[in-house]
Amino acid sequence: MNILCFGDSNTWGYKPDKTGRFDENTRWTALLQKKLGPEYHIIEEGLCGRTTVFDDPFREGRRGTQLFPTLLETHRLLDCIVIMLGTNDCKTVYGASAGVIAKGVEKLIEQAQRFAKDTPILLISPIHLGEGVWEKGFDTEFNENSVAVSKGLAEEYRKVSEKYGLAFLNAADYAQPGAADREHLDEEGHQRLAEAVLHEIKNIIDKKNQ
């Protein structure tokens, strides 16, 4: 069974200490692969800086809706799609509210329903940005409002999941950013998220097989 995980640096496995990428024994997508076993194929499509619908003026190819249809067709046929985006949309350069970011997620869902028709989707609202993430030495692309917006994503994403009849998971219920950068999952966060996603994936597959 093929499961596509589409996300940003927290799907790619970026380390909070900025030393690169967590290995296959640590990042949540790879842990999910190990827990599900060889009959499943977890497709890791995380990209640092990826947004839902916004073009990053400083980095090319970060708009999710630009690449998502290509990936959906590249990896067809899929048995499940996991979407976890929104953190980068909170950057000050975009000035987006949680509601606007959720509309960006809707565009991705509509693409999934068009290019991977009838494939179950698990929508995940990302972990919250940590207090002080905007301070010098951390990530000045965010500000205080970015943190507030990140905390409002779960409620808006839940509404989207109900509108489209999707499975939903709030990552912030299980994990928080590492202290080293107040933005990315640490090792414990990856483990906790992997367990939560595993539970949801099993529910989705069970329903699909009924």
Side-chain angles (χ1 to χ4, degrees), residues 87-143:
T87 298
N88 292 300
D89 300 60
C90 297
K91 291 178 179 178
T92 57
V93 69
Y94 305 124
S97 66
V100 167
I101 295 170
K103 288 182 180 179
V105 168
E106 283 197 62
K107 291 294 184 182
L108 291 167
I109 291 166
E110 289 167 0
Q111 288 180 332
Q113 293 181 335
R114 188 161 70 251
F115 290 94
K117 188 177 180 181
D118 299 324
T119 304
I121 298 170
L122 170 59
L123 176 61
I124 303 178
S125 62
I127 59 171
H128 300 159
L129 288 165
E131 293 297 331
V133 66
W134 62 86
E135 295 174 353
K136 185 178 179 180
F138 292 91
D139 195 337
T140 56
E141 290 188 278
F142 298 105
N143 62 12

Side-chain angles (χ1 to χ4, degrees), residues 1-5 24-44 190 194-195 197-198 201:
M1 304 190 78
N2 297 312
I3 300 173
L4 174 64
C5 296
E24 63 276 6
N25 294 312
T26 308
R27 60 182 183 267
W28 72 265
T29 45
L31 291 176
L32 186 62
Q33 176 69 77
K34 292 177 183 293
K35 293 173 186 296
L36 286 170
E39 64 269 28
Y40 291 84
H41 177 212
I42 300 299
I43 303 166
E44 300 175 292
H190 277 276
E195 287 291 343
V197 175
L198 174 67
I201 291 293

Side-chain angles (χ1 to χ4, degrees), residues 119-183:
T119 304
I121 298 170
L122 170 59
L123 176 61
I124 303 178
S125 62
I127 59 171
H128 300 159
L129 288 165
E131 293 297 331
V133 66
W134 62 86
E135 295 174 353
K136 185 178 179 180
F138 292 91
D139 195 337
T140 56
E141 290 188 278
F142 298 105
N143 62 12
E144 290 183 62
N145 186 61
S146 301
V147 177
V149 171
S150 76
K151 292 179 178 179
L153 292 179
E155 181 180 354
E156 297 298 330
Y157 282 30
R158 192 183 302 275
K159 293 176 185 176
V160 172
S161 68
E162 291 173 354
K163 176 180 177 179
Y164 290 88
L166 313 179
F168 172 75
L169 175 68
N170 179 9
D173 285 342
Y174 303 91
Q176 58 189 11
D181 74 349
R182 306 171 185 175
E183 182 178 354

